[in-house]
Amino acid sequence: MTTKDIIYQLESLKSHCEDWVDKEEPDNVWANDVAALDAAIDRLQGQPKRTESALTILGLTAILGFAAACAGIVLAVVEHTTAGIILLLAATGWWMEALIAGRDCR
């Protein structure tokens, strides 16, 4: 079931609940259900969509992070520099963040 299908079903359920709302009773359970369904629909509609441009940027970020990590390895192991170790650690964190963000946007 897609997000669009879920929203459709929630809107249908909301319509059904609205039919049972008693306008004279302020704390009517059906009115609370309608409010909850409205909030759920709004949240589902507000979810970020996965776009090709976001995936392209994500891929470039992962590639750049991996390249920087490789450069850090060369500097740290071959040249024995502190800058290489710092670059390696920073790039590895950057790369892992890109991988995690990619998993979250699916």
Side-chain angles (χ1 to χ4, degrees):
M1 185 176 260
T2 67
T3 302
K4 185 177 179 179
D5 295 332
I6 294 168
I7 291 170
Y8 176 80
Q9 288 303 128
L10 290 174
E11 287 173 342
S12 176
L13 182 58
K14 177 185 156 191
S15 176
H16 171 73
C17 291
E18 286 173 333
D19 292 340
W20 289 93
V21 171
D22 184 358
K23 306 270 189 230
E24 296 174 12
E25 187 180 336
D27 264 349
N28 184 282
V29 68
W30 294 102
N32 293 336
D33 289 344
V34 169
L37 288 164
D38 273 336
I41 291 166
D42 288 346
R43 287 194 183 155
L44 282 172
Q45 288 174 336
Q47 285 183 349
K49 304 293 186 270
R50 184 176 171 186
T51 63
E52 290 303 318
S53 62
L55 293 176
T56 302
I57 290 170
L58 175 68
L60 290 175
T61 300
I63 291 168
L64 288 173
F66 182 71
C70 290
I73 290 170
V74 169
L75 289 174
V77 174
V78 177
E79 300 293 326
H80 302 290
T81 63
T82 304
I85 294 169
I86 293 170
L87 178 62
L88 174 62
L89 293 174
T92 303
W94 182 27
W95 188 49
M96 292 304 293
E97 183 179 350
L99 292 175
I100 291 167
R103 184 186 67 211
D104 289 344
C105 76
R106 291 189 178 128

